[in-house]
Amino acid sequence: MVRYEVFDARDLLSFPDGDNSTDTVFGGIHFNLTTLKHWNYTYYSNGTLSNNSKCYLTYEPYQPVLLYTNGSFINATKCYSAVDPIGVRGYVGIGFAAVFGIALMLTLTTLAKHGKMYLPKEKRFYPIGRRWQWYWGCFVCACALISLFTNIDVDRYHVQELPIIVTSFFWFLICQGTVALVWESVRHWGSWQERQFVDPNPFVYRTDDRRSKVEFYLPLWVYFWIWMNFFLVVPRSWTFVEMQRSPEQTLAKTIPTATGARFKAGAFCLVIASLTIVYSLRHSIYHYKPRNRGIFNRTWGFIKAIPMRFVLTIPLCLALVAYQVLISFDWTFSVMRYGGIVPVIFAWGYGPPLLILFVQIIYGFASPNEDKALIAQRRQRGEVIDQELGIVKKPAWWRRVRGEHLYTLRDKITQNVNEVGGKRGLKARFEDEEREPPLGGDLVTRSNNNTIEMNSLSHNPRVDRAGVGNLSSMGESRRYTGKSDRRHNERVVEDASGVIFPNNAEAERQAQRERWIHEISQDGPPSYSDTDRGRSTRHDGSNNAQRNDSTDTTDSTAAPPQQVRSMLDV
């Protein structure tokens, strides 16, 4: 690939004088000046020799040894080589890169902690919503590592090339990722507050009110401005950054582009996104925190409701955006400047993202997983409800003492069935109750409903509880041996009413039931007969009915029509 060098005319120098008019000297070595001019080599003020396709260093100890007549050098060092020692910017970059590497590992740990699910997925609260802040944290760490490791070669390159471009490119990605990180942390905090309200009561908040619409459109609004910053800054030619080979070239080509309109507009986009983060925090506090009356109380309540990590991360995010705004107007403090002010570049350019990451990491280790926190809240609500109902749960050792921990599923089902009334079905138990004799006496049939035996209730504790224990006789009674307290009380009331009112309603209900059964048995279509269907039968000596082979249907048409008595006959 042919590289075309771009130098300003004011960077050109005349060749050093040699022994004669066709001789020049570089680093104590003589070269043929006629050959150099023939191949269009030019000597520049930064100590390089270039013909717009090849560039070589001319100062000791990197000067060429020999020049051939075809324009090629022996033992020459190209301009785009890391030949200088690591400077202050490189050493500071190594330290920051190591700290960002630690932050990356810790961020992955917190992502594993908070991203794990202990409850089923909910359509209203997706699991990825709480993971986005950690994803953006990993993105910021990755971009910072690339930017800082390539930053080492910025000082080592005598002629700037790819390292300073990569460093500047990924620094702008760090800004975008940091704003997105802070935004996701604030947005998810509001979502977590809402989830704690919705979990005990899913209908506490509407899904079509102004609050929900604002929370739907705010992410779109924020990411729109972040992506606008990306499209204004990133997709462009970045060769202007390496045009710092001389002061004249820097003033003519690098500074006008680095402080151009696109960088200013991109910084303005991040300002809008940062202000939206502040509004989102205010929106969440307004809807999910207690409200106060009065300007002073409302302001103080708003300050107390702000989580401590947002008190730190939001100002740091605003400081980072302010630095991008500053370098879009003033080249002196720019991160793209070769030989720039190192304390400002790292303290203001790389410091806020690093501090935001560690604030997030401390929060991640200090706070529990949200699913676990929600499970604990549900357990606390259950304990409060049990206390209100007077339910006391048995200790954990209770099941082991009773041997219930060894029960199989079949044993548990059998135990539950026995607790609700035995193995037989409900209908069968009702039939048994209908056939049972009265308490304390012999079997009495339904036709003897009016017969009263005075000894039938003499030892009936249920009737004693009903207040008729002194009576020695009653009407028809049925013993109830089940475990249902409701049916037990109903039988007591029926027995008592049968004693107080001999002509009780039970006999009337039984008579009405028998009348219904009789009517149902009489209702319906007539019994089947061959003569009704137009068939004739003949009986032989063996008393077996045989079908007639005649096709005569006179009897069928002469028979009276069938009368439909109810819809069941149709």
Side-chain angles (χ1 to χ4, degrees):
M1 180 178 178
V2 178
R3 179 180 299 276
Y4 294 95
E5 303 299 329
V6 180
F7 291 94
D8 193 89
R10 289 168 290 183
D11 300 333
L12 300 178
L13 296 178
S14 60
F15 287 98
D17 296 333
D19 295 339
N20 50 49
S21 61
T22 61
D23 182 67
T24 185
V25 179
F26 294 110
I29 299 176
H30 295 268
F31 295 93
N32 191 330
L33 183 59
T34 304
T35 304
L36 292 176
K37 291 182 177 180
H38 175 73
W39 293 105
N40 198 27
Y41 278 101
T42 306
Y43 184 59
Y44 293 92
S45 59
N46 58 0
T48 61
L49 191 65
S50 175
N51 63 350
N52 291 333
S53 62
K54 296 179 181 180
C55 181
Y56 299 101
L57 300 179
T58 60
Y59 56 89
E60 295 181 358
Y62 305 108
Q63 74 277 9
V65 175
L66 180 64
L67 174 63
Y68 287 110
T69 56
N70 61 359
S72 60
F73 290 91
I74 298 297
N75 292 337
T77 302
K78 293 184 178 180
C79 297
Y80 306 102
S81 302
V83 296
D84 295 341
I86 300 177
V88 178
R89 181 167 181 167
Y91 285 116
V92 177
I94 292 174
F96 270 79
V99 181
F100 270 104
I102 297 173
L104 177 60
M105 293 185 294
L106 297 178
T107 302
L108 291 174
T109 304
T110 53
L111 171 61
K113 175 183 177 181
H114 290 272
K116 192 174 182 180
M117 295 182 58
Y118 297 92
L119 292 174
K121 295 181 180 178
E122 299 180 25
K123 186 177 181 181
R124 196 168 180 177
F125 304 99
Y126 291 99
I128 196 174
R130 63 189 182 193
R131 299 171 184 168
W132 267 118
Q133 53 184 324
W134 310 111
Y135 290 155
W136 282 115
C138 295
F139 175 81
V140 170
C141 290
C143 293
L145 289 175
I146 298 174
S147 177
L148 291 169
F149 278 122
T150 56
N151 181 77
I152 299 173
D153 289 334
V154 172
D155 292 335
R156 300 190 63 197
Y157 269 65
H158 184 72
V159 177
Q160 295 303 312
E161 199 201 18
L162 187 62
I164 195 169
I165 294 177
V166 175
T167 297
S168 305
F169 178 86
F170 280 95
W171 182 84
F172 282 97
L173 294 181
I174 290 173
C175 293
Q176 299 161 12
T178 304
V179 174
L181 164 62
V182 177
W183 155 251
E184 285 296 336
S185 63
V186 173
R187 181 205 60 80
H188 174 66
W189 178 78
S191 177
W192 167 238
Q193 302 302 316
E194 179 187 7
R195 189 181 183 189
Q196 294 180 87
F197 279 99
V198 171
D199 186 66
N201 183 12
F203 306 102
V204 66
Y205 288 114
R206 295 174 54 187
T207 58
D208 57 348
D209 56 348
R210 181 181 179 275
R211 175 198 60 84
S212 60
K213 292 180 180 179
V214 169
E215 294 177 357
F216 175 80
Y217 287 109
L218 271 183
L220 303 178
W221 174 261
V222 172
Y223 281 113
F224 169 77
W225 292 108
I226 294 177
W227 283 112
M228 285 298 298
N229 175 268
F230 176 85
F231 288 123
L232 288 172
V233 173
V234 174
R236 63 182 306 158
S237 175
W238 284 81
T239 57
F240 72 93
V241 182
E242 65 183 13
M243 299 299 177
Q244 304 182 55
R245 302 182 180 102
S246 66
E248 295 80 8
Q249 190 183 52
T250 302
L251 291 173
K253 298 183 181 297
T254 307
I255 295 178
T257 308
T259 58
R262 291 186 62 177
F263 282 99
K264 291 183 174 67
F268 176 75
C269 293
L270 287 187
V271 171
I272 297 178
S274 302
L275 296 178
T276 307
I277 293 174
V278 178
Y279 173 78
S280 177
L281 179 62
R282 184 261 177 194
H283 170 83
S284 299
I285 293 175
Y286 177 78
H287 287 282
Y288 305 121
K289 290 297 181 179
R291 302 179 184 179
N292 299 314
R293 294 184 177 181
I295 298 177
F296 178 78
N297 293 333
R298 191 178 304 171
T299 305
W300 179 245
F302 176 80
I303 295 174
K304 290 195 302 181
I306 300 176
M308 180 55 64
R309 60 169 174 150
F310 296 153
V311 175
L312 300 175
T313 58
I314 293 180
L316 289 172
C317 179
L318 294 175
L320 181 63
V321 174
Y323 177 70
Q324 185 170 344
V325 173
L326 175 65
I327 65 175
S328 65
F329 288 91
D330 191 352
W331 169 255
T332 306
F333 305 99
S334 179
V335 71
M336 296 180 286
R337 179 187 174 189
Y338 169 66
I341 304 176
V342 175
V344 175
I345 292 175
F346 286 94
W348 202 351
Y350 291 92
L354 186 61
L355 294 177
I356 290 173
L357 285 172
F358 275 96
V359 170
Q360 285 287 111
I361 290 169
I362 294 173
Y363 157 76
F365 281 103
S367 60
N369 181 282
E370 294 180 3
D371 284 354
K372 287 187 176 181
L374 212 59
I375 293 173
Q377 293 178 11
R378 293 177 181 179
R379 186 183 300 112
Q380 293 177 359
R381 291 196 299 268
E383 292 176 355
V384 172
I385 294 174
D386 291 343
Q387 292 178 0
E388 293 177 354
L389 298 176
I391 300 175
V392 180
K393 291 187 177 181
K394 296 179 175 60
W397 52 264
W398 181 266
R399 296 176 65 254
R400 293 187 174 272
V401 171
R402 293 172 58 89
E404 295 180 359
H405 65 289
L406 301 176
Y407 282 3
T408 61
L409 180 60
R410 185 181 182 87
D411 297 335
K412 294 179 181 179
I413 294 175
T414 303
Q415 183 182 14
N416 294 337
V417 170
N418 293 333
E419 289 180 357
V420 298
K423 300 180 179 179
R424 303 193 65 188
L426 185 63
K427 181 179 179 181
R429 294 202 302 271
F430 285 170
E431 293 177 354
D432 291 343
E433 294 170 2
E434 293 291 341
R435 291 193 295 268
E436 287 178 357
L439 299 176
D442 298 332
L443 181 62
V444 180
T445 61
R446 292 294 181 185
S447 61
N448 196 19
N449 287 333
N450 295 330
T451 303
I452 300 177
E453 296 294 339
M454 300 303 295
N455 294 328
S456 60
L457 295 178
S458 58
H459 301 288
N460 190 348
R462 290 176 294 173
V463 179
D464 292 340
R465 288 195 299 268
V468 292
N470 295 330
L471 299 177
S472 60
S473 62
M474 64 175 294
E476 179 187 2
S477 302
R478 292 171 294 175
R479 183 183 297 110
Y480 175 68
T481 59
K483 296 183 179 181
S484 175
D485 293 337
R486 183 180 62 82
R487 292 191 58 81
H488 179 83
N489 296 331
E490 289 178 357
R491 290 300 173 82
V492 171
V493 174
E494 290 178 1
D495 294 343
S497 63
V499 174
I500 298 174
F501 305 102
N503 295 327
N504 55 358
E506 180 64 24
E508 296 180 2
R509 288 196 297 269
Q510 180 63 23
Q512 185 178 5
R513 191 180 302 112
E514 292 177 356
R515 287 195 301 270
W516 286 349
I517 294 174
H518 178 71
E519 292 176 359
I520 293 174
S521 62
Q522 294 298 324
D523 195 6
S527 59
Y528 176 79
S529 176
D530 286 337
T531 58
D532 295 339
R533 302 292 179 89
R535 300 175 182 175
S536 59
T537 57
R538 58 186 177 88
H539 301 274
D540 53 10
S542 60
N543 199 24
N544 292 328
Q546 300 293 335
R547 180 175 179 177
N548 190 4
D549 295 335
S550 175
T551 58
D552 187 11
T553 58
T554 305
D555 295 337
S556 176
T557 56
Q562 180 180 350
Q563 296 181 358
V564 179
R565 298 184 180 181
S566 66
M567 292 300 295
L568 298 175
D569 299 338
V570 177

